[in-house]
């Protein structure tokens, strides 16, 4: 009797294992509609923050190096979920806009909104439509520096302008001493690094100088660097590398490139100098106004802010896309990717990578616009 009872219990146990195994295989092989899924992780993620829809194939994009670290993080999540390959070159805003208006990319990234002549050029590749600006990434443009023994450097707009215009040439200059009375500033030559190619980061940096100290910055501004002297480097990564490798160097780039580096606090007229951070950039971007028309959501930033805890040198990177007339073979994948990066989960990725999310009222308009792309 004991042997029969033992064998019966063993049979029941094996049956339970078989049933549970079958259930597990069913769960792995089908989605909730009973159809076989292409992959467990893809099906699970698609049902969450990344909605693949009909996305397939590959996307080619180019533009802003400022958002490259954010794009890399987004692409990793999106590609794992949807199996779409995205090649984002990050060759700079100027290169991205040119590639877009020549029909070479599905979308472009730019830290400057499209100019009227660029919108006109886009109409040749946007059949029945035109290029529009979708603000997607915010963040501070940090001034990273490499000055031995100086950890908490304060500068204001006039000194920054004179440094990058080769008017202030040494770190122990009286103007810098006045702003840093307790610092041991060395008798060390300043090496100011700027971008070598057309750059939206340069455009926003010089807009700050033009807005705050026009007497010390006599240039017209724009994506191309205009001041004389200094050291040129390609991309934000190149400028950051130049600063790290050269004693006495200073350069401008997005905060995500300033890891393991000292950054300047800016005296804006607020109660205390403001350090670049996601929070201080968000405080400034929150005051931005939409100045684009129609579906275009170009913003106007306040570079001359004196609000407490608001960092003045900020940028917004736009994803540039056709409102109508996108190529049919890339439209589904492009919309799916833009939908994800504009989503709540997509925007959370930004703060995790030293970028500032776009304010809620603006990003909600971006989401609506994305759904209407055709």
């Amino acid at each position: 009797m004991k042997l029969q009872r033992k064998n019966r219990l063993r049979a029941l146990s094996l049956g339970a294992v078989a049933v549970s195994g079958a259930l597990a295989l069913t769960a792995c092989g089908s989605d909730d509609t009973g159809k076989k899924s292409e992959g467990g992780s893809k099906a699970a993620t698609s049902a969450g923050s990344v909605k693949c829809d009909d996305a397939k194939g590959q996307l080619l994009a180019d533009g802003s190096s400022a958002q490259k670290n954010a794009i890399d993080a987004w692409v990793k999540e999106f590609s794992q979920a949807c199996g779409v390959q995205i090649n984002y070159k990050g060759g700079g805003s100027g290169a991205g806009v040119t590639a877009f208006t020549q029909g070479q990319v599905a979308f472009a990234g730019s830290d400057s909104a499209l100019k009227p002549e660029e919108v006109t050029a886009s109409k040749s590749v946007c059949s029945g439509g035109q290029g529009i600006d979708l603000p997607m990434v915010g963040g501070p443009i940090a001034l990273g520096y490499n000055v031995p023994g100086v950890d908490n450097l304060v500068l204001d707009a006039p000194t920054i302008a004179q440094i990058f215009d080769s008017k202030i040439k040494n770190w122990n200059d009286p103007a810098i001493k006045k702003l840093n009375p307790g610092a041991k500033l060395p008798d060390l030559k300043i090496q100011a690094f700027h971008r070598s190619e057309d750059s939206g980061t340069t455009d926003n940096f010089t807009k700050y100088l033009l807005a705050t100290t026009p007497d010390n910055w006599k240039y017209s501004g724009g994506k191309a660097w205009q001041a004389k002297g200094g050291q040129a480097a390609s991309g934000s990564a190149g400028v950051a590398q130049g600063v790290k490798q050269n004693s006495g160097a200073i350069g401008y780039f997005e905060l995500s490139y300033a890891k393991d580096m000292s950054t300047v606090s800016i005296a804006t007229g607020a109660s205390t100098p403001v350090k670049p951070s996601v929070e201080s950039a968000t405080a400034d971007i929150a005051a931005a106004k939409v100045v684009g028309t129609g579906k275009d959501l170009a913003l106007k930033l306040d570079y001359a802010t004196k609000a407490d805890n608001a960092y003045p040198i900020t940028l917004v990177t736009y994803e540039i896309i056709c409102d109508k007339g996108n190529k049919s073979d890339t439209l589904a994948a492009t919309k799916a990717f833009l939908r994800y990066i504009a989503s709540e989960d997509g925007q959370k990725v930004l703060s995790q990578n030293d970028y500032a999310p776009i304010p809620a009222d603006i990003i909600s308009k971006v989401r609506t616009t994305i759904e209407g792309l055709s």
Side-chain angles (χ1 to χ4, degrees), residues 44-318:
T45 311
S46 298
S49 61
V50 183
K51 300 186 184 302
C52 303
D53 293 338
D54 297 320
K56 59 184 178 181
Q58 58 183 338
L59 295 177
L60 181 63
D62 195 2
S64 164
S65 69
Q67 69 167 356
K68 182 66 165 60
N69 291 334
I71 288 284
D72 287 348
W74 279 328
V75 166
K76 181 180 179 181
E77 294 296 322
F78 183 78
S79 295
Q80 286 179 350
C82 302
V84 175
Q85 180 183 350
I86 300 178
N87 181 2
Y88 183 81
K89 292 184 178 180
S93 297
V97 171
T98 297
F100 178 76
T101 56
Q102 292 180 351
Q104 299 172 357
V105 293
F107 69 93
S110 177
D111 308 319
S112 302
L114 291 169
K115 296 178 181 178
E117 61 269 25
E118 293 168 340
V119 173
T120 299
S122 73
K123 293 180 180 180
S124 64
V125 296
C126 300
S127 180
Q130 66 179 48
I132 57 173
D133 301 287
L134 300 180
M136 202 70 75
V137 180
I141 300 175
L143 295 174
Y145 66 94
N146 180 354
V147 182
V150 181
D151 298 324
N152 296 295
L153 184 68
V154 175
L155 298 175
D156 59 10
T159 56
I160 293 169
Q162 291 177 67
I163 285 171
F164 281 89
D165 198 22
S166 302
K167 299 291 177 60
I168 293 179
K169 300 181 179 182
N170 263 53
W171 281 110
N172 62 350
D173 187 275
I176 302 178
K177 282 185 175 181
K178 185 177 180 180
L179 291 164
N180 299 271
K184 295 181 179 179
L185 296 164
D187 182 8
L188 178 65
K189 182 182 177 181
I190 295 174
Q191 297 189 64
F193 278 79
H194 59 265
R195 292 283 286 276
S196 59
E197 79 284 10
D198 284 3
S199 160
T201 308
T202 294
D203 189 19
N204 284 275
F205 176 54
T206 55
K207 280 178 179 176
Y208 159 74
L209 298 175
L210 284 165
T212 53
T213 185
D215 290 344
N216 291 291
W217 196 255
K218 300 291 188 178
Y219 305 97
S220 61
K223 294 177 184 176
W225 184 256
Q226 297 170 323
K228 306 300 180 183
Q231 307 288 329
S234 177
S236 292
V239 175
Q241 190 67 18
V243 173
K244 287 181 180 180
Q245 293 179 345
N246 291 275
S247 180
I250 185 171
Y252 58 91
F253 33 78
E254 294 67 40
L255 185 61
S256 64
Y257 292 92
K259 296 184 184 299
D260 303 320
M261 190 187 306
S262 297
T263 57
V264 172
S265 295
I266 299 180
T268 63
S271 58
T272 57
V274 186
K275 196 83 171 171
S277 68
V278 170
E279 294 76 19
S280 62
T282 299
D284 183 56
I285 295 171
K289 305 295 183 184
V290 175
V291 294
T293 58
K295 294 182 179 180
D296 188 271
L297 297 173
L299 303 176
K300 182 178 181 180
L301 300 172
D302 183 8
Y303 299 101
T305 182
K306 294 183 179 179
D308 283 348
N309 302 315
Y311 186 77
I313 318 179
T314 56
L315 61 73
V316 167
T317 301
Y318 302 95

